[in-house]
Amino acid sequence: MAYNQSVPSLGSTEQQSRYRLVIVQVLVIIFLYINCLMITTFFMKEVFYRSTRYILFINALMSDCLYLIITNLLLIFMLFRIYMQMWLCLIIVIVSSLHNFITPVTLTAMTLERYVAICMPLQHGQICSAQRNLYGILVIHGLSFIPCLITILAVFTTVNITFYHEDVSCTVEKLTITVWQSHLRSGISQFYFLVMLIIIMFSYIKIMMVAQAASAENKKASKKGLQTVSLHAFQLLLCLIQFWCPIVEMALLPVNYVVYVNVWYMNYIMFSLAPRCLNPLIYGLRDKEFFEALRYYALWGLYKRKVCLQN
């Protein structure tokens, strides 16, 4: 009798998985709707896609949308134990990993843009020109792809051709064949985030120094810049914790699959969804100009008409 109480029934496990799936779907749909609305707002006004900070912001949002779609599909496949061949799983995980890295790298670029705008205002127009924006996006994607390339090479050097035709429940842990691959992936992630954390802290200190020496009318802009960099630092911390999660999950996978699924689910909510819901808050809702345009398009122009009638 005690054994039956300690082990959950198959029905209760399946019911719990359905509840979790419904919660995730609601959150993902909300985030995707908000992100798509912001992306639409960005392309509706020329002033936005001529500004570096908005271009970087939309680059992060588009990457977040793709990442949420891919990881949500993987979550569905894992909860319902839908299998696929390893070669397809490899492609999906690599694309997911690429967009997972794009977000923190873009955050660092956005922090540097705020540093240049506040600490080097005279050089801002030249450094953040339209042509350099394109180069910046290419650099962001290039730096984000380096860890993915290393992962691909690590898999290619440790498996044979039959490995790619195995049917598996697709997770990143299935691509970690040996211990050194796990250490390599962890080391690359920690190196990236150490560099990005240093850049963000450097930018924060410099902006804080400018804020203290700024005149009364410039203090407001400097204070807002400090708040933005602080939010970026918090968002980056969540992303850093996310890259430590696979180490814990991989240790749990051979021990207990149910515990592994529970931990994976909580990590996905806290360290995958949560950091990506901060992007709309930092640049979408806190930016007055973008928020006004967003409210106009979200209400199908009714907000502007209402203001005109009141005036």
Side-chain angles (χ1 to χ4, degrees), residues 67-151:
Y67 179 79
L68 289 176
I69 292 172
I70 294 172
T71 54
N72 185 46
L73 288 175
L74 290 179
L75 175 63
I76 294 173
F77 292 162
M78 185 178 72
L79 291 180
F80 289 98
R81 300 199 177 188
I82 300 174
Y83 297 92
M84 66 181 68
Q85 289 198 336
M86 185 60 78
W87 65 268
L88 180 58
C89 176
L90 175 63
I91 295 174
I92 294 175
V93 169
I94 292 302
V95 175
S96 173
S97 178
L98 170 63
H99 290 286
N100 195 20
F101 268 95
I102 286 177
T103 295
V105 175
T106 305
L107 287 177
T108 307
M110 294 166 79
T111 301
L112 287 174
E113 189 276 333
R114 287 293 84 200
Y115 161 73
V116 173
I118 295 174
C119 300
M120 306 168 61
L122 298 179
Q123 289 81 22
H124 182 263
Q126 181 181 1
I127 295 175
C128 301
S129 62
Q131 185 177 9
R132 292 188 177 182
N133 289 338
L134 176 59
Y135 294 150
I137 297 297
L138 293 176
V139 169
I140 288 172
H141 285 75
L143 291 175
S144 302
F145 184 70
I146 291 176
C148 304
L149 179 61
I150 294 175
T151 300

Coordinates of all heavy atoms in Angstrom, one line a residue, residues 67-151:
Y67 N 13.0 31.0 -31.0 CA 13.5 30.1 -29.9 C 12.3 29.6 -29.1 O 12.2 28.4 -28.8 CB 14.4 30.9 -28.9 CG 14.8 30.1 -27.7 CD1 15.9 29.2 -27.9 CD2 14.2 30.3 -26.5 CE1 16.3 28.5 -26.8 CE2 14.7 29.5 -25.4 CZ 15.7 28.6 -25.5 OH 16.1 27.9 -24.5
L68 N 11.3 30.4 -28.8 CA 10.1 30.0 -28.1 C 9.3 28.9 -28.9 O 8.8 27.9 -28.4 CB 9.2 31.1 -27.8 CG 9.7 32.1 -26.7 CD1 8.7 33.3 -26.6 CD2 9.8 31.4 -25.4
I69 N 9.2 29.1 -30.2 CA 8.5 28.1 -31.1 C 9.2 26.8 -31.1 O 8.6 25.7 -30.9 CB 8.4 28.7 -32.5 CG1 7.4 29.9 -32.5 CG2 7.8 27.6 -33.4 CD1 7.4 30.6 -33.9
I70 N 10.5 26.8 -31.2 CA 11.3 25.6 -31.3 C 11.3 24.8 -30.0 O 11.0 23.6 -29.9 CB 12.7 25.8 -31.8 CG1 12.8 26.4 -33.2 CG2 13.6 24.6 -31.7 CD1 14.1 26.9 -33.7
T71 N 11.6 25.5 -28.9 CA 11.6 24.9 -27.6 C 10.2 24.4 -27.1 O 10.1 23.4 -26.4 CB 12.2 25.8 -26.5 OG1 11.5 27.1 -26.5 CG2 13.7 26.1 -26.8
N72 N 9.2 25.1 -27.5 CA 7.9 24.7 -27.2 C 7.5 23.4 -27.9 O 6.9 22.5 -27.3 CB 6.8 25.8 -27.6 CG 5.4 25.5 -27.2 OD1 5.2 25.0 -26.1 ND2 4.5 25.6 -28.1
L73 N 7.9 23.3 -29.2 CA 7.7 22.0 -29.9 C 8.5 20.9 -29.2 O 8.0 19.8 -29.1 CB 8.2 22.2 -31.3 CG 7.3 23.0 -32.2 CD1 7.9 23.2 -33.6 CD2 5.9 22.4 -32.3
L74 N 9.7 21.1 -28.8 CA 10.5 20.1 -28.1 C 9.9 19.7 -26.8 O 9.9 18.5 -26.4 CB 12.0 20.6 -27.9 CG 12.9 20.8 -29.1 CD1 14.2 21.3 -28.7 CD2 13.0 19.5 -29.8
L75 N 9.3 20.7 -26.1 CA 8.6 20.4 -24.8 C 7.4 19.4 -25.1 O 7.2 18.5 -24.4 CB 8.1 21.7 -24.2 CG 7.3 21.5 -22.9 CD1 8.1 20.8 -21.8 CD2 6.7 22.8 -22.4
I76 N 6.6 19.7 -26.2 CA 5.5 18.9 -26.5 C 6.0 17.5 -26.9 O 5.4 16.5 -26.4 CB 4.7 19.5 -27.7 CG1 4.1 20.8 -27.3 CG2 3.7 18.5 -28.2 CD1 3.4 21.6 -28.4
F77 N 7.0 17.4 -27.7 CA 7.6 16.1 -28.0 C 8.1 15.3 -26.8 O 7.8 14.1 -26.7 CB 8.7 16.3 -29.0 CG 8.3 16.8 -30.4 CD1 9.3 17.3 -31.2 CD2 7.0 16.7 -30.8 CE1 8.9 17.8 -32.5 CE2 6.6 17.2 -32.0 CZ 7.5 17.8 -32.9
M78 N 8.7 16.0 -25.9 CA 9.2 15.3 -24.7 C 8.1 14.8 -23.8 O 8.1 13.7 -23.3 CB 10.2 16.2 -23.9 CG 10.9 15.5 -22.8 SD 12.1 16.6 -21.9 CE 10.9 17.6 -21.1
L79 N 7.1 15.7 -23.5 CA 6.0 15.3 -22.6 C 5.2 14.2 -23.1 O 4.7 13.3 -22.4 CB 5.2 16.5 -22.3 CG 5.8 17.6 -21.5 CD1 4.8 18.8 -21.3 CD2 6.3 17.1 -20.1
F80 N 5.1 14.1 -24.5 CA 4.3 13.0 -25.1 C 5.2 11.9 -25.7 O 4.7 11.0 -26.3 CB 3.3 13.6 -26.1 CG 2.2 14.4 -25.6 CD1 2.3 15.8 -25.5 CD2 1.1 13.8 -25.1 CE1 1.3 16.5 -25.0 CE2 0.0 14.5 -24.5 CZ 0.1 15.9 -24.5
R81 N 6.5 12.0 -25.4 CA 7.4 11.0 -25.8 C 7.3 10.7 -27.3 O 7.2 9.6 -27.7 CB 7.3 9.7 -25.0 CG 7.5 10.0 -23.5 CD 7.8 8.7 -22.8 NE 8.1 9.0 -21.4 CZ 8.5 8.1 -20.5 NH1 8.7 6.8 -20.9 NH2 8.7 8.4 -19.2
I82 N 7.3 11.8 -28.1 CA 7.4 11.7 -29.5 C 8.8 11.6 -30.0 O 9.6 12.5 -29.7 CB 6.7 12.9 -30.2 CG1 5.2 13.0 -29.7 CG2 6.7 12.8 -31.7 CD1 4.5 14.2 -30.2
Y83 N 9.2 10.6 -30.8 CA 10.5 10.3 -31.1 C 10.8 10.8 -32.6 O 9.9 10.9 -33.4 CB 10.9 8.9 -31.0 CG 10.8 8.4 -29.6 CD1 9.6 7.8 -29.1 CD2 11.9 8.5 -28.7 CE1 9.5 7.3 -27.8 CE2 11.8 8.0 -27.4 CZ 10.6 7.5 -26.9 OH 10.5 7.0 -25.6
M84 N 12.1 11.1 -32.8 CA 12.5 11.5 -34.1 C 13.9 11.0 -34.3 O 14.6 10.6 -33.4 CB 12.5 13.0 -34.3 CG 13.5 13.8 -33.4 SD 13.4 15.6 -33.6 CE 11.8 15.9 -32.9
Q85 N 14.4 11.0 -35.6 CA 15.7 10.5 -35.8 C 16.8 11.5 -35.4 O 16.5 12.8 -35.4 CB 15.9 10.2 -37.3 CG 15.2 9.0 -37.8 CD 15.7 8.4 -39.1 OE1 16.3 9.2 -39.9 NE2 15.5 7.2 -39.3
M86 N 17.9 11.0 -35.0 CA 18.9 11.9 -34.3 C 19.4 13.0 -35.3 O 19.7 14.1 -34.8 CB 20.1 11.0 -33.9 CG 21.2 11.8 -33.1 SD 20.5 12.6 -31.6 CE 20.5 11.1 -30.5
W87 N 19.5 12.8 -36.6 CA 20.0 13.8 -37.5 C 19.0 15.0 -37.5 O 19.5 16.2 -37.5 CB 20.1 13.3 -38.9 CG 18.9 12.9 -39.6 CD1 18.3 11.7 -39.6 CD2 18.0 13.7 -40.3 NE1 17.1 11.7 -40.3 CE2 16.9 12.9 -40.8 CE3 18.0 15.1 -40.7 CZ2 15.8 13.4 -41.5 CZ3 16.9 15.6 -41.4 CH2 15.9 14.8 -41.9
L88 N 17.7 14.8 -37.4 CA 16.7 15.9 -37.3 C 16.8 16.6 -36.0 O 16.7 17.8 -35.9 CB 15.3 15.3 -37.5 CG 14.2 16.3 -37.5 CD1 14.4 17.5 -38.5 CD2 12.9 15.7 -37.7
C89 N 17.0 15.8 -34.9 CA 17.2 16.3 -33.6 C 18.4 17.2 -33.5 O 18.4 18.3 -32.9 CB 17.3 15.2 -32.5 SG 17.6 15.8 -30.9
L90 N 19.5 16.8 -34.2 CA 20.7 17.6 -34.2 C 20.5 19.0 -34.8 O 20.9 20.0 -34.3 CB 21.8 16.9 -34.9 CG 23.1 17.6 -35.1 CD1 23.8 17.9 -33.8 CD2 24.1 16.8 -36.0
I91 N 19.8 19.0 -35.9 CA 19.5 20.3 -36.6 C 18.6 21.2 -35.7 O 18.9 22.4 -35.6 CB 18.8 20.0 -37.9 CG1 19.7 19.3 -38.9 CG2 18.3 21.3 -38.6 CD1 19.0 18.8 -40.2
I92 N 17.6 20.6 -35.1 CA 16.7 21.4 -34.3 C 17.4 22.0 -33.1 O 17.2 23.2 -32.7 CB 15.5 20.5 -33.8 CG1 14.6 20.2 -35.0 CG2 14.6 21.3 -32.8 CD1 13.5 19.2 -34.7
V93 N 18.2 21.2 -32.4 CA 18.9 21.6 -31.2 C 20.0 22.7 -31.6 O 20.1 23.7 -30.9 CB 19.6 20.4 -30.5 CG1 20.6 20.9 -29.5 CG2 18.6 19.5 -29.9
I94 N 20.6 22.6 -32.7 CA 21.6 23.6 -33.2 C 20.9 24.9 -33.4 O 21.4 26.0 -33.0 CB 22.4 23.1 -34.4 CG1 23.3 21.9 -34.1 CG2 23.2 24.2 -35.0 CD1 24.3 22.2 -33.0
V95 N 19.8 24.9 -34.1 CA 19.0 26.1 -34.4 C 18.5 26.7 -33.1 O 18.6 28.0 -32.9 CB 17.9 25.8 -35.4 CG1 17.0 27.1 -35.5 CG2 18.4 25.4 -36.7
S96 N 18.1 25.9 -32.2 CA 17.6 26.4 -30.9 C 18.7 27.0 -30.1 O 18.6 28.1 -29.5 CB 17.0 25.2 -30.1 OG 16.7 25.6 -28.8
S97 N 19.9 26.3 -30.1 CA 21.1 26.9 -29.4 C 21.5 28.2 -30.0 O 22.0 29.1 -29.3 CB 22.2 25.8 -29.5 OG 23.4 26.3 -28.8
L98 N 21.5 28.3 -31.3 CA 21.9 29.5 -32.0 C 21.0 30.7 -31.5 O 21.6 31.8 -31.1 CB 21.7 29.4 -33.5 CG 21.9 30.7 -34.3 CD1 23.3 31.3 -34.2 CD2 21.6 30.4 -35.8
H99 N 19.7 30.6 -31.5 CA 18.9 31.6 -31.1 C 18.9 31.8 -29.5 O 18.6 32.9 -29.1 CB 17.4 31.4 -31.5 CG 17.3 31.5 -33.0 ND1 17.3 32.7 -33.7 CD2 17.2 30.6 -34.0 CE1 17.1 32.5 -35.0 NE2 17.1 31.2 -35.2
N100 N 19.3 30.8 -28.8 CA 19.5 30.9 -27.4 C 20.7 31.9 -27.1 O 20.6 32.6 -26.1 CB 19.7 29.6 -26.8 CG 19.5 29.6 -25.3 OD1 18.9 30.5 -24.7 ND2 20.1 28.6 -24.6
F101 N 21.7 31.8 -27.9 CA 22.9 32.6 -27.7 C 22.7 34.0 -28.2 O 23.3 35.0 -27.8 CB 24.1 32.0 -28.4 CG 24.9 31.1 -27.5 CD1 24.7 29.8 -27.5 CD2 25.9 31.7 -26.7 CE1 25.5 28.9 -26.6 CE2 26.6 30.9 -25.8 CZ 26.4 29.5 -25.8
I102 N 21.8 34.2 -29.3 CA 21.6 35.5 -29.9 C 21.1 36.5 -28.9 O 21.5 37.7 -28.9 CB 20.7 35.4 -31.1 CG1 21.4 34.7 -32.3 CG2 20.2 36.7 -31.5 CD1 20.6 34.5 -33.5
T103 N 20.2 36.0 -28.0 CA 19.6 36.9 -27.0 C 20.6 37.6 -26.1 O 20.6 38.8 -26.0 CB 18.5 36.2 -26.2 OG1 17.4 35.9 -27.1 CG2 17.9 37.1 -25.1
P104 N 21.4 36.8 -25.4 CA 22.4 37.5 -24.5 C 23.4 38.3 -25.3 O 23.9 39.4 -24.8 CB 23.0 36.4 -23.7 CG 22.8 35.1 -24.6 CD 21.5 35.4 -25.2
V105 N 23.9 37.9 -26.5 CA 24.8 38.6 -27.2 C 24.2 39.9 -27.7 O 24.9 41.0 -27.7 CB 25.3 37.8 -28.5 CG1 26.2 38.7 -29.3 CG2 26.1 36.6 -28.0
T106 N 22.9 39.9 -28.1 CA 22.2 41.1 -28.5 C 22.1 42.1 -27.3 O 22.2 43.3 -27.4 CB 20.9 40.8 -29.1 OG1 21.0 39.9 -30.2 CG2 20.2 42.1 -29.6
L107 N 21.8 41.5 -26.1 CA 21.7 42.3 -24.9 C 23.0 43.1 -24.6 O 23.0 44.3 -24.3 CB 21.4 41.4 -23.7 CG 20.0 40.8 -23.5 CD1 19.9 39.9 -22.3 CD2 19.0 41.9 -23.4
T108 N 24.1 42.4 -24.9 CA 25.4 43.1 -24.7 C 25.6 44.2 -25.7 O 26.1 45.3 -25.3 CB 26.6 42.0 -24.8 OG1 26.3 40.9 -23.9 CG2 27.9 42.6 -24.5
A109 N 25.2 43.9 -26.9 CA 25.3 45.0 -28.0 C 24.4 46.2 -27.6 O 24.8 47.3 -27.8 CB 24.9 44.4 -29.3
M110 N 23.2 45.9 -27.1 CA 22.3 47.0 -26.7 C 22.9 47.8 -25.5 O 22.7 49.0 -25.5 CB 20.9 46.4 -26.3 CG 20.2 45.7 -27.5 SD 18.8 44.7 -27.0 CE 17.6 46.0 -26.7
T111 N 23.6 47.1 -24.6 CA 24.2 47.8 -23.5 C 25.3 48.7 -24.0 O 25.4 49.9 -23.6 CB 24.8 46.8 -22.5 OG1 23.7 46.0 -22.0 CG2 25.5 47.5 -21.4
L112 N 26.1 48.2 -25.0 CA 27.2 49.0 -25.6 C 26.6 50.2 -26.3 O 27.2 51.3 -26.3 CB 28.0 48.2 -26.5 CG 29.0 47.2 -25.9 CD1 29.6 46.3 -26.9 CD2 30.0 47.9 -25.0
E113 N 25.4 50.1 -27.0 CA 24.8 51.2 -27.7 C 24.4 52.2 -26.7 O 24.5 53.4 -26.9 CB 23.6 50.6 -28.4 CG 22.9 51.7 -29.4 CD 21.9 52.6 -28.7 OE1 21.4 52.1 -27.7 OE2 21.7 53.7 -29.1
R114 N 23.8 51.8 -25.5 CA 23.5 52.8 -24.5 C 24.7 53.5 -23.9 O 24.7 54.7 -23.6 CB 22.7 52.1 -23.4 CG 21.3 51.7 -23.7 CD 20.4 52.9 -23.9 NE 20.5 53.4 -25.3 CZ 20.1 54.6 -25.7 NH1 19.6 55.5 -24.8 NH2 20.2 55.0 -26.9
Y115 N 25.8 52.8 -23.8 CA 27.0 53.4 -23.3 C 27.5 54.4 -24.3 O 27.9 55.6 -23.9 CB 28.1 52.3 -23.1 CG 29.5 52.8 -23.1 CD1 30.0 53.5 -22.0 CD2 30.4 52.6 -24.2 CE1 31.3 53.9 -21.9 CE2 31.7 53.1 -24.1 CZ 32.1 53.8 -23.0 OH 33.4 54.2 -23.0
V116 N 27.5 54.1 -25.6 CA 28.0 55.1 -26.6 C 27.0 56.3 -26.6 O 27.5 57.5 -26.7 CB 28.0 54.5 -28.0 CG1 28.3 55.5 -29.0 CG2 29.1 53.4 -28.0
A117 N 25.7 56.1 -26.5 CA 24.7 57.2 -26.6 C 24.9 58.1 -25.4 O 24.7 59.4 -25.6 CB 23.3 56.6 -26.6
I118 N 25.2 57.6 -24.2 CA 25.2 58.5 -23.0 C 26.6 59.0 -22.8 O 26.8 60.2 -22.4 CB 24.7 57.7 -21.8 CG1 23.2 57.4 -22.0 CG2 24.9 58.5 -20.5 CD1 22.7 56.5 -20.9
C119 N 27.6 58.2 -22.9 CA 29.0 58.6 -22.6 C 29.8 59.2 -23.8 O 30.7 59.9 -23.6 CB 29.8 57.4 -22.1 SG 29.1 56.6 -20.6
M120 N 29.3 58.9 -25.0 CA 30.0 59.4 -26.2 C 28.9 59.9 -27.2 O 28.8 59.5 -28.3 CB 30.8 58.3 -26.9 CG 31.8 57.6 -26.0 SD 32.5 56.1 -26.7 CE 33.3 56.8 -28.1
P121 N 28.1 60.9 -26.8 CA 27.0 61.4 -27.6 C 27.4 61.9 -28.9 O 26.7 61.8 -29.9 CB 26.3 62.4 -26.7 CG 27.4 62.9 -25.8 CD 28.2 61.7 -25.5
L122 N 28.5 62.6 -29.0 CA 29.0 63.2 -30.3 C 29.4 62.2 -31.3 O 29.3 62.4 -32.5 CB 30.1 64.2 -30.0 CG 29.8 65.4 -29.1 CD1 31.1 66.2 -28.9 CD2 28.7 66.2 -29.7
Q123 N 29.9 61.0 -30.9 CA 30.3 59.9 -31.8 C 29.2 58.9 -32.0 O 29.4 58.0 -32.8 CB 31.5 59.2 -31.2 CG 32.8 60.0 -31.2 CD 32.9 61.0 -30.1 OE1 32.2 60.8 -29.0 NE2 33.7 62.0 -30.2
H124 N 28.1 59.1 -31.4 CA 27.0 58.0 -31.4 C 26.5 57.9 -32.9 O 26.3 56.8 -33.4 CB 25.9 58.4 -30.5 CG 24.7 57.4 -30.5 ND1 23.6 57.5 -31.3 CD2 24.6 56.2 -29.9 CE1 22.8 56.5 -31.1 NE2 23.4 55.7 -30.2
G125 N 26.2 59.0 -33.6 CA 25.7 58.9 -34.9 C 26.6 58.2 -35.9 O 26.2 57.5 -36.8
Q126 N 27.9 58.4 -35.7 CA 28.9 57.8 -36.6 C 29.1 56.4 -36.3 O 29.2 55.5 -37.2 CB 30.3 58.6 -36.5 CG 31.4 58.0 -37.4 CD 32.7 58.8 -37.2 OE1 32.8 59.8 -36.4 NE2 33.7 58.4 -38.0
I127 N 29.2 56.0 -35.0 CA 29.5 54.6 -34.6 C 28.3 53.8 -34.9 O 28.4 52.6 -35.3 CB 29.8 54.6 -33.1 CG1 31.2 55.3 -32.8 CG2 29.9 53.1 -32.6 CD1 31.6 55.4 -31.4
C128 N 27.1 54.3 -34.7 CA 25.8 53.5 -34.8 C 25.1 53.9 -36.1 O 23.9 54.2 -36.1 CB 24.9 53.7 -33.6 SG 25.7 53.2 -32.1
S129 N 25.9 54.0 -37.2 CA 25.3 54.3 -38.5 C 24.5 53.2 -39.1 O 24.6 52.0 -38.6 CB 26.4 54.8 -39.5 OG 27.3 53.7 -39.7
A130 N 23.7 53.4 -40.1 CA 22.9 52.4 -40.7 C 23.7 51.2 -41.3 O 23.3 50.1 -41.1 CB 22.0 53.0 -41.8
Q131 N 24.8 51.5 -41.9 CA 25.7 50.5 -42.5 C 26.3 49.6 -41.4 O 26.4 48.4 -41.5 CB 26.8 51.1 -43.3 CG 27.6 50.1 -44.1 CD 28.7 50.8 -45.0 OE1 28.8 52.0 -44.9 NE2 29.3 50.0 -45.8
R132 N 26.7 50.3 -40.3 CA 27.3 49.5 -39.2 C 26.3 48.7 -38.4 O 26.7 47.7 -37.8 CB 28.1 50.5 -38.2 CG 29.3 51.1 -38.9 CD 30.1 51.9 -37.9 NE 31.3 52.4 -38.6 CZ 32.3 53.1 -37.9 NH1 32.1 53.4 -36.6 NH2 33.3 53.6 -38.6
N133 N 25.0 49.1 -38.5 CA 24.0 48.3 -37.9 C 23.9 46.9 -38.5 O 23.8 45.9 -37.9 CB 22.6 49.0 -38.0 CG 22.5 50.2 -37.1 OD1 23.3 50.3 -36.1 ND2 21.6 51.1 -37.5
L134 N 24.0 46.9 -39.9 CA 24.0 45.6 -40.6 C 25.2 44.8 -40.2 O 25.1 43.6 -39.9 CB 24.0 45.9 -42.1 CG 24.1 44.6 -43.0 CD1 22.9 43.7 -42.7 CD2 24.1 45.0 -44.5
Y135 N 26.4 45.4 -40.2 CA 27.6 44.6 -39.7 C 27.4 44.1 -38.3 O 27.9 43.0 -38.0 CB 28.8 45.5 -39.8 CG 29.2 45.9 -41.2 CD1 29.8 47.1 -41.5 CD2 28.9 45.1 -42.3 CE1 30.1 47.5 -42.8 CE2 29.2 45.4 -43.6 CZ 29.8 46.7 -43.9 OH 30.2 47.0 -45.2
G136 N 26.8 44.9 -37.4 CA 26.6 44.5 -36.1 C 25.7 43.3 -35.9 O 26.0 42.4 -35.2
I137 N 24.6 43.3 -36.7 CA 23.8 42.1 -36.7 C 24.5 40.9 -37.2 O 24.4 39.8 -36.6 CB 22.5 42.4 -37.6 CG1 21.7 43.5 -37.1 CG2 21.7 41.1 -37.7 CD1 21.1 43.3 -35.7
L138 N 25.3 41.0 -38.2 CA 26.1 39.9 -38.7 C 27.1 39.4 -37.7 O 27.3 38.2 -37.5 CB 26.8 40.3 -40.0 CG 26.0 40.6 -41.2 CD1 26.8 41.0 -42.4 CD2 25.2 39.3 -41.6
V139 N 27.7 40.3 -37.0 CA 28.7 39.9 -35.9 C 28.0 39.2 -34.8 O 28.5 38.2 -34.3 CB 29.4 41.2 -35.4 CG1 30.2 40.9 -34.1 CG2 30.3 41.8 -36.4
I140 N 26.8 39.7 -34.4 CA 26.0 39.0 -33.4 C 25.7 37.6 -33.7 O 25.9 36.7 -32.9 CB 24.7 39.8 -33.1 CG1 25.0 41.2 -32.4 CG2 23.7 39.0 -32.3 CD1 23.8 42.1 -32.2
H141 N 25.2 37.4 -35.0 CA 24.9 36.0 -35.4 C 26.1 35.2 -35.5 O 26.1 34.0 -35.2 CB 24.1 36.1 -36.7 CG 22.7 36.5 -36.6 ND1 22.3 37.8 -36.3 CD2 21.5 35.8 -36.6 CE1 21.0 37.9 -36.2 NE2 20.5 36.7 -36.4
G142 N 27.2 35.8 -36.0 CA 28.5 35.0 -36.1 C 29.0 34.6 -34.8 O 29.4 33.4 -34.6
L143 N 29.0 35.5 -33.8 CA 29.5 35.1 -32.4 C 28.6 34.1 -31.8 O 29.0 33.2 -31.1 CB 29.6 36.4 -31.5 CG 30.6 37.4 -31.9 CD1 30.5 38.6 -31.0 CD2 32.0 36.8 -31.7
S144 N 27.3 34.2 -32.1 CA 26.3 33.2 -31.5 C 26.4 31.8 -32.2 O 26.1 30.8 -31.5 CB 24.9 33.7 -31.7 OG 24.7 35.0 -31.1
F145 N 26.9 31.8 -33.4 CA 27.0 30.5 -34.1 C 28.3 29.7 -33.7 O 28.3 28.5 -33.9 CB 27.0 30.7 -35.6 CG 27.0 29.4 -36.4 CD1 25.9 28.6 -36.4 CD2 28.2 29.0 -37.1 CE1 25.9 27.4 -37.1 CE2 28.2 27.9 -37.8 CZ 27.1 27.0 -37.8
I146 N 29.3 30.4 -33.1 CA 30.6 29.7 -32.8 C 30.3 28.6 -31.8 O 30.8 27.4 -32.0 CB 31.6 30.7 -32.2 CG1 32.1 31.7 -33.4 CG2 32.8 30.0 -31.6 CD1 33.0 32.8 -32.9
P147 N 29.6 28.7 -30.7 CA 29.3 27.6 -29.8 C 28.6 26.5 -30.5 O 28.8 25.3 -30.2 CB 28.5 28.2 -28.7 CG 28.8 29.6 -28.7 CD 29.0 30.0 -30.2
C148 N 27.7 26.8 -31.4 CA 26.9 25.8 -32.1 C 27.9 25.0 -33.1 O 27.7 23.8 -33.2 CB 25.8 26.4 -33.0 SG 24.7 27.4 -32.0
L149 N 28.8 25.7 -33.7 CA 29.8 25.0 -34.6 C 30.6 24.1 -33.8 O 30.9 22.9 -34.2 CB 30.6 26.1 -35.3 CG 31.7 25.5 -36.2 CD1 31.1 24.7 -37.4 CD2 32.5 26.7 -36.8
I150 N 31.0 24.5 -32.6 CA 31.9 23.6 -31.7 C 31.1 22.4 -31.3 O 31.6 21.3 -31.3 CB 32.4 24.4 -30.5 CG1 33.3 25.5 -31.0 CG2 33.1 23.5 -29.5 CD1 33.8 26.4 -29.9
T151 N 29.8 22.6 -31.0 CA 28.9 21.4 -30.7 C 28.8 20.4 -31.8 O 28.9 19.2 -31.6 CB 27.5 21.9 -30.3 OG1 27.6 22.8 -29.1 CG2 26.6 20.8 -29.9

